Amino acid sequence: RLSNAPDGTLRIAKRVEYLKKNYEPLDVVFRLAQETSLVLLNGGGFDAPEWSIRTSLANLKREDYVRIGKGIASILHSYAQRWKESLDK
């Protein structure tokens, strides 16, 4: 039960709840494609968790993975910022 969870776990659970309420799992990969021209797949179609992202580990250069990681991190940071702003309302 979350009422008995440590504060950090509760904060994470509230962020996840906000994310699921305000976005769809595909939003991250669509936004990544729009903003960076990187096309990845949602993991849900591959029997992976619905909120996961699938990428190839075979045919890309190391720099490509850095771009992917930075792109995903930027999107998730913006979602976290929107969550923080929602707390002020």
Side-chain angles (χ1 to χ4, degrees):
R1 293 177 35 137
L2 287 178
S3 60
N4 296 331
D7 286 342
T9 303
L10 187 57
R11 280 194 304 272
I12 291 169
K14 288 182 178 183
R15 290 178 191 170
V16 170
E17 180 182 318
Y18 170 83
L19 188 67
K20 289 182 175 182
K21 180 180 176 186
N22 292 281
Y23 301 98
E24 297 292 327
L26 288 174
D27 289 341
V28 177
V29 292
F30 285 159
R31 188 169 160 195
L32 186 68
Q34 286 177 325
E35 294 178 8
T36 67
S37 299
L38 294 168
V39 179
L40 300 181
L41 301 171
N42 174 272
F46 295 90
D47 201 29
E50 186 178 32
W51 280 91
S52 65
I53 298 173
R54 185 172 173 97
T55 185
S56 167
L57 295 177
N59 301 320
L60 299 176
K61 297 177 184 171
R62 182 172 183 214
E63 311 83 66
D64 296 327
Y65 296 107
V66 172
R67 279 188 60 220
I68 291 168
K70 286 182 178 181
I72 293 169
S74 174
I75 291 166
L76 295 180
H77 285 299
S78 74
Y79 290 163
Q81 183 61 38
R82 290 177 188 169
W83 171 74
K84 288 177 186 175
E85 290 168 1
S86 78
L87 297 176
D88 295 334
K89 294 180 182 178

